[in-house]
Amino acid sequence: VQLQASGGGLVQPGGSLRLSCAASGFTFRNYVMGWFRQAPGNERELVAAITSGGISNYADFVKGRFTISRDNAKNTVYLAMNSLTPEDTAVFYCAADLYYSRYSNNYAFWGLGTLVTVSS
């Protein structure tokens, strides 16, 4: 199993980024895909998740700013992030599991993460 996240980088406050996570080694279309983030000194927290049927769930702190989507033909999940603030600075991880959960320890598969830095 591999989850390869990409698309992180340095962006100014108010800017946008689009993260991608390419999956392999499991039947992607059957899995819930989640994006988590972890800032220094903080616990890993759910940002957004999308079920195999395309239903999305978002953390309150990103509603209206971030959009999660998936392309089952490409085995890829995306996270479009707009109106970024310095508080969004974190390592972003993609994760997969057969069932939805807001808790990171319930996800079976993890990628290595991609760093998002929001700073002027």
Side-chain angles (χ1 to χ4, degrees):
V1 171
Q2 283 195 331
L3 294 172
Q4 183 63 52
S6 61
L10 174 63
V11 62
Q12 292 188 341
S16 300
L17 281 176
R18 187 194 195 205
L19 306 183
S20 300
C21 176
S24 62
F26 62 100
T27 308
F28 177 84
R29 64 180 180 274
N30 292 342
Y31 278 69
V32 175
M33 298 301 299
W35 284 100
F36 288 78
R37 71 182 188 185
Q38 188 167 19
N42 289 358
E43 294 185 352
R44 195 168 296 189
E45 59 185 355
L46 179 69
V47 175
I50 186 166
T51 68
S52 59
I55 298 172
S56 56
N57 294 274
Y58 296 93
D60 287 343
F61 56 79
V62 301
K63 281 182 178 178
R65 299 190 299 129
F66 293 6
T67 303
I68 190 170
S69 60
R70 65 189 296 158
D71 185 338
N72 289 340
K74 296 183 178 180
N75 287 359
T76 301
V77 61
Y78 304 97
L79 185 68
M81 305 186 293
N82 298 313
S83 302
L84 286 161
T85 73
E87 289 70 35
D88 294 314
T89 295
V91 177
F92 282 70
Y93 300 88
C94 62
D97 199 82
L98 286 172
Y99 304 101
Y100 169 77
S101 173
R102 63 177 292 185
Y103 301 107
S104 60
N105 59 0
N106 288 338
Y107 283 75
F109 305 143
W110 288 89
L112 291 180
T114 185
L115 177 63
V116 172
T117 303
V118 185
S119 175
S120 55

